[in-house]
Amino acid sequence: MLHPVKPERTTSNKLLKSINQQKVLRLIYTEGPISRVELADKTGLTQQTITNIVNRLLEEDYLLETEPVGGSSGRKPIPLLVKTGGMYAIGIELAVKYVRGALIDFQHSIIHEVTEQVNEYTNVDTPLEYVTQVVDQLLKHVPKPEQLKGIGCSIQGLVDSKQGVVIYSPGLRWRNYPLKERLESRYNLPIYLENDANLLSLVENLNGRLADSANNVTIKLDYGVGGALVLNNQLCTGATHVAGEFGHYKAFAAEDSPVCHCGARGCLTSFASVSGLRRHAGRTPEQFDEQLEANDPTAVALLAKIELAIGTAISNVITFFNPDHVLITGKMIDVLGHRLLPLLEKRIYSTIPESCRGVKLIHLPQTPNESTSAGGLVVNHFFDVPLESLSL
Ligand SMILES: [Zn+2]
């Protein structure tokens, strides 16, 4: 005899149980040390439910009971902490010229790092070969394999992070590549993917230089050009996950601009990226900087052309979205920022409408190492309440 109603109920109870457990774990992680009483207050769950969840988490070795504090009489509440030092994540930065990996613990301390330089990805399988090479090396350094909670990847390319698919990355030779599925079947771990500019923006918005900002734009002038847009504290991904594709912003006059790999002319990436500079102007950012130092007239003219294009593009974005901050970063800025940034600042503030002039232009001293940020994706997901499960 089948039970038509009960199994469903069990499933939803089980789901609710795991959501509540996740809620409690996240709260202990973000607000710990925290007592059982405070947990009950903040979650609205009963004392008994909290006791059950905490006992389960203690048994599974996720929590630490610390010394009781305060209270002059009676039983003192025991503050709880998550054992972040005992959980691990792997972060991978999959770039066109290198694959960098970091093994971190949940306190974001780096345990081991590996970098593989890439000359060229010769076919569609090579990026994955590099990634698995780096992951396999890192796995040897995981203190407790059962406590490795996942692999996060930062990708130079268009990413559908929900589906775990790299939609398009010319440098990686990928189009609709199911990276999450490939890595999951090899490592049997949760896998998370994010576009590199989006990840940088998420990290800076969560606890970096954009933490106090609700509306901002991040522009990464790197091997290619990436962009990320945060409006009302939400990262905008767009209808087909390609919002912020700043590299194909039409910024140069079409008549003196080469055809971009997207098929159009005038794209910002044609000259304002490391790859564009090399392909269309035959120089690296470092060589460009030296030529500028020597006052080479063609280099001076090229800098003026690039600065006009970037400055106009950013001014338009500011005029359209009215952000409070614009963060500019990437290898082009690491090398050429000392020349570009003062010019950009002058151009942007003099061309945007007065109503937008409160915007702050900021930059990072160095483009951050994204492998540790990618590991952070695992940490964030681990403590996240699985909201999507609520709509099941
Ligand atoms: Zn283009």
Side-chain angles (χ1 to χ4, degrees):
M1 195 52 196
L2 293 170
H3 307 277
V5 179
K6 269 195 174 166
E8 256 179 50
R9 192 163 174 90
T10 318
T11 314
S12 77
N13 277 345
K14 211 171 146 190
L15 183 64
L16 196 63
K17 209 165 136 184
S18 87
I19 290 171
N20 285 341
Q21 174 161 324
Q22 201 67 13
K23 251 190 214 167
V24 170
L25 189 59
R26 185 186 169 84
L27 209 58
I28 303 173
Y29 175 67
T30 52
E31 304 205 6
I34 183 168
S35 70
R36 289 166 175 82
V37 178
E38 288 171 283
L39 284 171
D41 272 358
K42 293 202 169 179
T43 54
L45 297 170
T46 64
Q47 275 292 345
Q48 190 54 49
T49 308
I50 292 291
T51 304
N52 293 345
I53 291 175
V54 167
N55 286 347
R56 207 154 55 225
L57 291 171
L58 280 167
E59 263 168 47
E60 288 169 20
D61 209 26
Y62 284 127
L63 299 185
L64 206 67
E65 287 187 305
T66 60
E67 283 298 304
V69 282
S72 51
S73 62
R75 272 179 63 189
K76 292 171 184 169
I78 302 167
L80 298 159
L81 272 177
V82 174
K83 271 189 176 176
T84 43
M87 291 189 271
Y88 307 95
I90 283 177
I92 298 291
E93 183 181 358
L94 178 50
V96 177
K97 287 288 156 195
Y98 58 89
V99 176
R100 189 153 53 189
L103 169 66
I104 62 168
D105 64 21
F106 271 29
Q107 287 165 332
H108 297 267
S109 307
I110 298 173
I111 295 163
H112 195 71
E113 278 184 292
V114 176
T115 304
E116 292 284 343
Q117 297 298 331
V118 177
N119 187 24
E120 194 191 0
Y121 296 111
T122 46
N123 63 59
V124 71
D125 298 318
T126 26
L128 183 65
E129 285 162 18
Y130 275 98
V131 170
T132 54
Q133 232 178 73
V134 169
V135 172
D136 290 351
Q137 289 180 63
L138 292 170
L139 284 176
K140 292 179 195 153
H141 298 268
V142 182
K144 285 192 232 156
E146 69 281 7
Q147 294 293 38
L148 178 63
K149 300 301 177 192
I151 301 173
C153 301
S154 154
I155 315 274
Q156 276 186 2
L158 301 180
V159 173
D160 177 347
S161 46
K162 259 204 175 122
Q163 303 296 325
V165 171
V166 179
I167 301 167
Y168 181 54
S169 172
L172 300 173
R173 296 173 171 262
W174 281 350
R175 200 178 271 278
N176 294 321
Y177 188 84
L179 180 61
K180 176 182 155 86
E181 194 185 301
R182 295 283 157 89
L183 289 173
E184 258 170 8
S185 69
R186 186 180 167 103
Y187 296 109
N188 201 20
L189 282 168
I191 309 290
Y192 309 101
L193 313 186
E194 193 54 86
N195 160 270
D196 64 332
N198 280 351
L199 181 61
L200 198 150
S201 164
L202 282 172
V203 170
E204 293 300 326
N205 274 281
L206 277 173
N207 40 30
R209 273 155 241 243
L210 298 171
D212 297 327
S213 156
N215 296 284
N216 55 72
V217 177
T218 297
I219 289 160
K220 191 177 175 194
L221 304 165
D222 207 77
Y223 184 82
V225 176
L229 184 63
V230 167
L231 293 179
N232 299 325
N233 289 310
Q234 290 284 318
L235 182 71
C236 297
T237 52
T240 57
H241 309 282
V242 297
E245 260 310 274
F246 205 53
H248 304 285
Y249 193 108
K250 303 303 170 278
F252 293 100
E255 56 274 19
D256 59 46
S257 189
V259 177
C260 172
H261 59 80
C262 75
R265 279 180 198 274
C267 295
L268 193 60
T269 192
S270 305
F271 294 104
S273 66
V274 176
S275 62
L277 200 60
R278 197 195 57 202
R279 193 167 305 141
H280 305 301
R283 60 199 91 184
T284 64
E286 289 82 0
Q287 287 165 340
F288 191 23
D289 193 46
E290 280 167 27
Q291 291 158 350
L292 289 164
E293 195 58 47
N295 268 320
D296 175 314
T298 58
V300 172
L302 182 61
L303 184 77
K305 177 174 165 171
I306 292 175
E307 182 273 312
L308 173 64
I310 302 174
T312 309
I314 295 178
S315 288
N316 286 335
V317 167
I318 292 173
T319 308
F320 201 74
F321 289 109
N322 183 211
D324 48 54
H325 285 75
V326 173
L327 171 66
I328 312 173
T329 182
K331 174 102 194 269
M332 290 287 282
I333 297 300
D334 291 349
V335 181
L336 298 158
H338 66 113
R339 298 179 194 281
L340 269 173
L341 289 169
L343 298 171
L344 285 173
E345 196 154 302
K346 206 169 147 201
R347 177 176 305 281
I348 291 165
Y349 284 116
S350 66
T351 51
I352 53 177
E354 206 184 337
S355 52
C356 294
R357 267 179 222 158
V359 65
K360 290 196 177 66
L361 299 179
I362 57 172
H363 69 280
L364 302 174
Q366 177 82 35
T367 309
N369 174 343
E370 288 218 358
S371 58
T372 45
S373 309
L377 273 178
V378 178
V379 182
N380 287 342
H381 278 277
F382 187 81
F383 290 113
D384 229 334
V385 179
L387 285 175
E388 284 128 337
S389 335
L390 287 170
S391 56
L392 275 179

